[in-house]
Amino acid sequence: MKTGKLITFEGIDGSGKSTQAEKALEFLKERGVQCKLLREPGGTPLGEAIRKILLAPVDSGITMNRYAEYLLFAASRAELCRWVIKPLLKQGFTVLVDRFGDSSLAYQGYGHGVDLDFIRRTNEVATDGLKPDLSILFDIDVETAFARLEDANDRIENEGINFFKRVREGFLKIAEQESETYIVVNAALEIEAVEEDVIRAISGRM
Ligand code: TYD
């Protein structure tokens, strides 16, 4: 039986969600909440090895078709959910995850055209049925997000602007469909203003 809360941080590259996830972790810790911050892909030995493959630099010679790519993300997720997230939730930890299953729906599904139902069904297996209690979408226009990326050099960051526009729209659709779970914050605002919105969202669910 799950006891702790699972909070996921979603958004396109450059949306600032990783910075906000760190701030949310500090906020919860200061209030004495037992919590952990994890990221996808990664968080287990296999997951970190998969991360290196998925985020290899563009000149690494590693290419992959969109299904192979999705299945690698799903494999990393399958490890993280079973070995790390579920045990932490059972111990009562609040678990913050920088990206989760909806990143696959947005990037591989809406972005790359992998069948959405296929992703939904297999994500169910990868997550072992785990569903977030709260998902925060850091919404930002693609141009502003790109301007924030200092060094876009990994395979995924190198996709064109139209790819990221599809990913952003995908995230917005997901948030609309899962409106009970999602809070959408305007990630183009000043860092402190975004932080306030995040803290309000989290406090409302704890
Ligand atoms: P990372 O450098 O951690 O980016 P960020 O800090 O923006 O999260 O790399 C994660 C990359 O992997 C990012 O470009 C999004 C992508 N990704 C997918 O395409 N599908 C997925 O299921 C996940 C979890 C990530």
Side-chain angles (χ1 to χ4, degrees):
M1 269 299 284
K2 190 179 98 165
T3 52
K5 298 258 189 243
L6 176 61
I7 304 176
T8 62
F9 292 71
E10 297 281 13
I12 60 171
D13 296 72
S15 62
K17 65 176 173 40
S18 305
T19 308
Q20 294 293 342
E22 298 272 358
K23 287 180 177 292
L25 181 76
E26 284 316 306
F27 170 82
L28 289 169
K29 278 192 172 162
E30 278 165 16
R31 271 146 197 85
V33 178
Q34 265 199 316
C35 51
K36 274 265 190 301
L37 171 60
L38 307 167
R39 70 168 178 192
E40 273 209 23
T44 62
L46 177 60
E48 291 297 327
I50 291 175
R51 181 181 177 89
K52 285 206 182 94
I53 298 171
L54 281 166
L55 302 183
V58 252
D59 59 3
S60 65
I62 296 182
T63 57
M64 61 187 79
N65 73 70
R66 56 198 57 181
Y67 280 90
E69 178 183 73
Y70 165 65
L71 291 166
L72 285 172
F73 280 113
S76 170
R77 185 166 302 132
E79 285 285 295
L80 188 69
C81 286
R82 286 165 179 79
W83 297 119
V84 186
I85 301 183
K86 279 209 159 171
L88 282 171
L89 291 172
K90 262 195 203 151
Q91 291 169 54
F93 275 81
T94 288
V95 181
L96 311 182
V97 199
D98 187 349
R99 298 195 181 283
F100 200 55
D102 288 343
S103 274
S104 287
L105 259 186
Y107 279 76
Q108 281 65 54
Y110 288 99
H112 275 149
V114 175
D115 182 72
L116 295 174
D117 278 332
F118 169 72
I119 296 181
R120 285 192 192 100
R121 277 185 280 119
T122 47
N123 247 342
E124 227 1 82
V125 180
T127 58
D128 206 9
L130 207 54
K131 298 263 186 291
D133 296 286
L134 169 66
S135 293
I136 306 175
L137 172 58
F138 294 81
D139 182 52
I140 187 165
D141 62 284
V142 174
E143 288 79 7
T144 310
F146 264 43
R148 287 180 178 175
L149 290 177
E150 282 162 20
D151 176 24
N153 185 39
D154 75 43
R155 231 177 23 81
I156 294 172
E157 285 171 347
N158 248 269
E159 298 284 351
I161 204 146
N162 286 331
F163 169 77
F164 283 98
K165 285 190 172 163
R166 292 196 297 278
V167 175
R168 180 194 185 193
E169 290 309 314
F171 271 129
L172 287 169
K173 271 191 204 141
I174 296 165
E176 201 180 305
Q177 284 160 3
E178 306 287 330
S179 58
E180 306 253 297
T181 310
Y182 264 90
I183 300 257
V184 181
V185 302
N186 178 359
L189 298 177
E190 290 295 311
I191 201 163
E192 293 80 11
V194 180
E195 190 181 351
E196 271 176 32
D197 287 345
V198 171
I199 284 171
R200 197 171 312 118
I202 293 178
S203 304
R205 298 288 165 109
M206 299 293 290

